[in-house]
Amino acid sequence: MKRLTILLQVATLAGSALSAVPVPVPAAANPAAPATAPVRYEAEDAAISRGAVESNHAGVTGSGFVNYENAVGSHVEFTVDSAQSGKAALGLRFANGTAAGRPLDITVNGQLIAGDQAFPAIGSWTGRQTKNLTAELGAGTNTVRVSSVTASGGPNLDSLTVGDDGSAATDWSVAMVESTMARYSPSAVGGWSYPVGLYLYGQYLVYQRTHDARYLDYIKGYVDRFVDGSGNIGQSFNNLDSMQAGRLLNILHHETGQARYQKAAQKIRNRLNSYPRTADGGFWHSTSDSRRSQLWADGVYMVNPFLVEYGKEFGDSTYTDNEATRQLTVYGGHLQVANGLLKHAFDESRDAGWSDPKTGLAPENWCRAIGWYSMAIVNVLDAVPAGHPRRAELLRLLRKLAAGIEKYQDPGTGRWFQVVDRGSHSDNWTETSCSSMFTFALSRSVQQGYIDGHYAEVARRGYQGVLAKVELGGDGRTDLTDISIGTNVGNYGYYIKRDRKTNDFHGLGAFLIMNEQLRAR
């Protein structure tokens, strides 16, 4: 098996000069024409005509962004160096919090390459998108001018990234989906379960970008094994794990409009009316006797993203937003400890063998349990309105968690350890699924303005570390290594001895979610 060295673009600023770190790309992608490292040019360092450098919105790649003056012809002009002539990819990163698009003209060396290009409203000055174009550059110095077309000026412009035209790059999301679909048919991919549900949710994100109908058909083929034509689904939903794949029901109703998917999803929603809870309202992880009165950090991801998406799809957001935010605050209140991380579980009864008799807490900070919580809290914050009464508490929990995640990142690999805060132990190991989850959560939180912008660099290091776990087999299919199998609550030795699998769905799903968030950043 041939290991691929895949490193994320890293760029640093020294005064007004940009220094780019070379980025090796997969040798297998196009050995005859290896790609050069993309280079990012910050808008605040470019030549600006009728615009101002500002830094009052989070989520930027450098120290600020350019706020265009509201006038036709206001522009930002970048000076770009190219070692040789030929096609290059241009990526313009922007934010537009208005209700209307702000089109721009893009010229290269005085020649219009893209006129009246749409830079759409995205409803936020902290959420950012990238407009991708292809242009011919000459060898040596080039000028790339980005000019406003209307009296409304341009969007807030963050940066320009210049790299290869994409012919030598590998789309790792597509490669992973294609490899997995080649390995398993929809009838053989597995039963109704949260790991398969997680993977197929990641595949749906790739479908949303690529619009490859085969990806959605595959998801539908899986779900239709369990949901009949009348919307009946043979699941009792007596544990939170069984609810996670319910996200696919919301998705398929949205994509097809078929009422049977709503009926199946409603069974989960109705089950919560009588589902057992702790005294302060937290859903038990399972109704089984062995897990009575227990809250596992894993559980918040199994039910709460489904809930807020269900509310949006079926007009039930008053209940679902309140319930999801309640669950996250209850779980966070019990599980989060002083270092910002979360213990794996809490037992209200103190009967479980792993529970501390005073606190009820499990002994360790297991990485994937924390990863589940980190993704869930971001998903819920993305869904609930800005004025929700629990939003401030969720942000407090997230910011404390982000600080803990940053503190325990492995400086050598950029990944995180199986037992997060015990990286100094020689038998501990960096785990791929949680590293993907943390990377996604930090990157998305910076993009949305939930946490400080410096965490973008933590996410970039995490991304680089996870990509180093991608391998290419002799059959040309991708493999993702060092993924912990499903895990109960235990002590340090138990977690460390868990099997490390390749292509386990916990890791594949988390990778796709992460990669769709970071691939264009």
Side-chain angles (χ1 to χ4, degrees), residues 175-454:
M176 200 159 287
V177 168
E178 293 288 346
S179 295
T180 305
M181 289 173 58
R183 290 183 176 111
Y184 308 102
S185 68
S187 61
V189 72
W192 183 266
S193 70
Y194 76 87
V196 178
L198 176 74
Y199 165 75
L200 291 176
Y201 174 76
Q203 180 164 312
Y204 178 67
L205 297 180
V206 184
Y207 163 75
Q208 286 187 302
R209 173 170 60 83
T210 64
H211 306 293
D212 189 324
R214 296 177 302 126
Y215 299 169
L216 185 63
D217 289 345
Y218 186 99
I219 297 168
K220 188 175 183 297
Y222 166 80
V223 171
D224 287 353
R225 292 166 48 201
F226 309 99
V227 179
D228 69 18
S230 299
N232 300 305
I233 182 169
Q235 305 292 324
S236 59
F237 299 115
N238 286 329
N239 58 75
L240 299 185
D241 287 351
S242 65
M243 300 179 186
Q244 193 280 333
R247 298 181 85 177
L248 306 177
L249 303 173
N250 299 332
I251 286 167
L252 288 176
H253 180 270
H254 184 77
E255 293 290 344
T256 70
Q258 294 181 22
R260 63 193 181 109
Y261 298 119
Q262 179 177 7
K263 181 178 178 181
Q266 193 170 23
K267 186 174 182 179
I268 302 175
R269 162 69 176 87
N270 292 342
R271 178 68 182 92
L272 296 176
N273 293 335
S274 59
Y275 194 85
R277 302 169 181 254
T278 58
D280 51 0
F283 291 136
W284 292 2
H285 192 67
S286 172
T287 63
S288 65
D289 288 342
S290 64
R291 294 176 181 176
R292 294 175 59 86
S293 305
Q294 295 175 19
L295 308 180
W296 293 21
D298 321 42
V300 292
Y301 190 82
M302 304 306 156
V303 66
N304 293 302
F306 160 80
L307 266 179
V308 293
E309 291 161 5
Y310 177 96
K312 181 178 181 180
E313 183 68 17
F314 303 116
D316 194 19
S317 290
T318 299
Y319 163 74
T320 59
D321 290 358
N322 286 336
E323 187 69 87
T325 55
R326 179 187 188 187
Q327 294 302 316
L328 283 159
T329 54
V330 168
Y331 274 68
H334 286 295
L335 297 173
Q336 193 169 50
V337 291
N339 64 8
L341 303 178
L342 285 81
K343 296 296 185 180
H344 189 171
F346 163 77
D347 180 12
E348 185 177 48
S349 69
R350 275 55 167 188
D351 290 337
W354 47 257
S355 65
D356 184 283
K358 292 183 179 180
T359 66
L361 290 173
E364 300 294 348
N365 301 300
W366 178 50
C367 70
R368 192 158 67 224
I370 305 167
W372 291 124
Y373 188 93
S374 70
M375 292 203 301
I377 197 168
V378 172
N379 287 167
V380 171
L381 280 167
D382 281 353
V384 301
H388 194 279
R390 291 195 184 96
R391 190 175 185 86
E393 176 61 11
L394 293 186
L395 288 170
R396 186 193 69 79
L397 289 164
L398 174 60
R399 289 164 183 166
K400 185 176 179 181
L401 174 57
I405 291 172
E406 178 184 26
K407 178 179 179 180
Y408 293 107
Q409 185 178 35
D410 177 30
T413 66
R415 297 184 295 272
W416 284 266
F417 287 93
Q418 171 80 332
V419 179
V420 181
D421 58 337
R422 298 180 183 269
S424 61
H425 291 217
S426 61
D427 56 349
N428 208 346
W429 48 281
T430 59
E431 199 278 332
T432 304
S433 68
C434 77
S435 296
S436 297
M437 293 171 174
F438 292 161
T439 298
F440 162 80
L442 293 178
S443 176
R444 179 66 179 173
S445 294
V446 168
Q447 181 186 9
Q448 296 295 88
Y450 303 150
I451 59 177
D452 186 77
H454 85 272

